[in-house]
Amino acid sequence: MELKVSNLGCRRGELRVLSGVCFTAASGTALILRGPNGSGKTTLLRTLAGLAPPDEGVVEVPPDSIAYAGHSDGIKAQLTVAENLQFWADVFGHDNIEDALDMFGLGPLADRQAQHLSAGQKRRLGLSRLLVTGRPIWLLDEPTVSLDTDSVAIFGRMVGGHLERGGIAILATHIDLGLDAAETLDISRFRATGDDHANPFLDEGFADWGDS
């Protein structure tokens, strides 16, 4: 299994952000996306996930293979921790949430409504959803936000286990997760050029508003 990207162009709204992106991510490997804020990491991940259409080029990926974790934790405030995980397990056709509860130590919080969780607990719950998807390709956008040091280490082990099982992970992160099978891709070298990119908002502080 692999995810192959050829000559991919990406837009953020009407603005062309990336052009000519090429890489291949093979089974059992991780690809770390690097680049300054506003360089297009979020835009690329959303395009790979099928949430935004490519401007050009091709993304070759097996059907129903991608799980995407963006800036939002993707949890329902009125449901408990266990109910949130069960909801996503049902969506993806799985019935075991115990591993997901155990990974981040969420068992003691299983009956607590998500609205009463701290920011770090919500992030742990959001990331635990990946374990109930059964999807082999994880696309992760700044996944360690709000996590403490211990939780970052747990998350690194979680991704490492996913890779050992033959999965693929593509992450936008500045944190070293200790992944032996990780390569780095600086996407700033794919920055689009031309008149349609000449927008001052992309290069200034406003870039942080819509992309990382």
Side-chain angles (χ1 to χ4, degrees):
M1 181 187 61
E2 65 179 21
L3 186 156
K4 185 175 182 180
V5 175
S6 304
N7 195 38
L8 186 67
C10 304
R11 286 184 180 269
R12 184 190 308 138
E14 296 300 315
L15 183 66
R16 192 178 193 192
V17 179
L18 299 172
S19 178
V21 180
C22 295
F23 66 83
T24 298
S27 178
T29 63
L31 184 65
I32 310 298
L33 304 180
R34 293 285 168 80
N37 288 345
S39 60
K41 299 186 295 294
T42 293
T43 299
L44 175 57
L45 287 170
R46 287 179 57 82
T47 303
L48 296 178
L51 300 175
D55 191 45
E56 63 181 357
V58 177
V59 177
E60 299 178 54
V61 60
D64 298 327
S65 61
I66 287 177
Y68 173 71
H71 293 160
S72 172
D73 294 319
I75 59 180
K76 297 183 179 295
Q78 300 301 320
L79 298 183
T80 66
V81 168
E83 288 169 343
N84 267 282
L85 287 173
Q86 190 61 58
F87 170 82
W88 287 108
D90 292 343
V91 167
F92 288 98
H94 295 272
D95 56 10
N96 181 12
I97 66 170
E98 295 306 316
D99 289 344
L101 284 171
D102 291 342
M103 176 57 66
F104 279 108
L106 293 172
L109 302 174
D111 295 327
R112 183 178 299 182
Q113 285 185 322
Q115 64 182 333
H116 300 307
L117 299 177
S118 69
Q121 290 168 339
K122 289 178 181 176
R123 174 58 65 167
R124 285 156 52 195
L125 174 56
L127 292 174
S128 295
R129 293 183 302 132
L130 294 165
L131 296 174
V132 303
T133 66
R135 297 290 175 89
I137 300 176
W138 292 356
L139 305 180
L140 309 171
D141 194 358
E142 300 293 350
T144 60
V145 171
S146 300
L147 293 184
D148 59 25
T149 301
D150 289 343
S151 294
V152 169
I154 292 171
F155 175 69
R157 293 195 294 271
M158 172 178 150
V159 176
H162 178 65
L163 302 182
E164 290 175 0
R165 295 188 294 271
I168 295 172
I170 301 179
L171 311 90
T173 181
H174 297 284
I175 303 297
D176 182 3
L177 296 174
L179 301 174
D180 295 332
E183 298 183 359
T184 299
L185 179 67
D186 183 355
I187 69 166
S188 60
R189 65 191 179 97
F190 299 112
R191 177 171 171 168
T193 59
D195 292 341
D196 62 341
H197 190 72
N199 187 318
F201 292 108
L202 185 64
D203 297 317
E204 303 298 334
F206 292 97
D208 291 342
W209 288 15
D211 205 338
S212 63

